[in-house]
Amino acid sequence: MVNDHTHQSHPNIIKRLKRANGHLESVIGMIDQGKPCLELAQQLHAVEKAIQQAKRVLVQDHIEHCLDDAIGPLESEQQQRVDEFKAIARYL
């Protein structure tokens, strides 16, 4: 069964995607201005990094919400293990 979590607000993801969009718009402007390929590549790398960060945050949030759904009926010791896993998952 696929878990389709949707969330009304992902401010961190939106912030990162807006950053990526800004970098992408900059790349388009640089192309129009005839900037060197190295500068374009550096800006495209910034776009890629911002998108990767947004994806990572989305996955981390999804893992956390799924675990929160599962943790409800667990006993105290099991809840502590899930909380520890959630803390470790933040480093993924």
Side-chain angles (χ1 to χ4, degrees), residues 58-68 85-86 89 92:
L58 180 65
V59 169
Q60 289 172 338
D61 285 354
H62 184 73
I63 288 170
E64 189 169 324
H65 283 91
C66 287
L67 290 172
D68 286 343
F85 178 80
K86 285 169 42 177
L92 297 177

Side-chain angles (χ1 to χ4, degrees), residues 16-80:
R16 284 171 170 78
L17 291 175
K18 284 182 178 181
R19 183 179 301 146
N21 187 54
H23 288 303
L24 191 55
E25 288 177 3
S26 177
V27 169
I28 293 168
M30 292 169 74
I31 291 170
D32 290 341
Q33 297 169 7
K35 295 288 184 176
C37 290
L38 178 58
E39 289 181 37
L40 295 172
Q42 290 170 333
Q43 278 301 104
L44 285 172
H45 178 71
V47 171
E48 182 180 31
K49 185 176 177 181
I51 291 171
Q52 287 173 345
Q53 289 173 342
K55 181 180 173 184
R56 186 188 76 239
V57 169
L58 180 65
V59 169
Q60 289 172 338
D61 285 354
H62 184 73
I63 288 170
E64 189 169 324
H65 283 91
C66 287
L67 290 172
D68 286 343
D69 288 350
I71 200 170
L74 298 178
E75 294 180 14
S76 176
E77 185 177 319
Q78 293 170 320
Q79 286 180 343
Q80 182 179 352

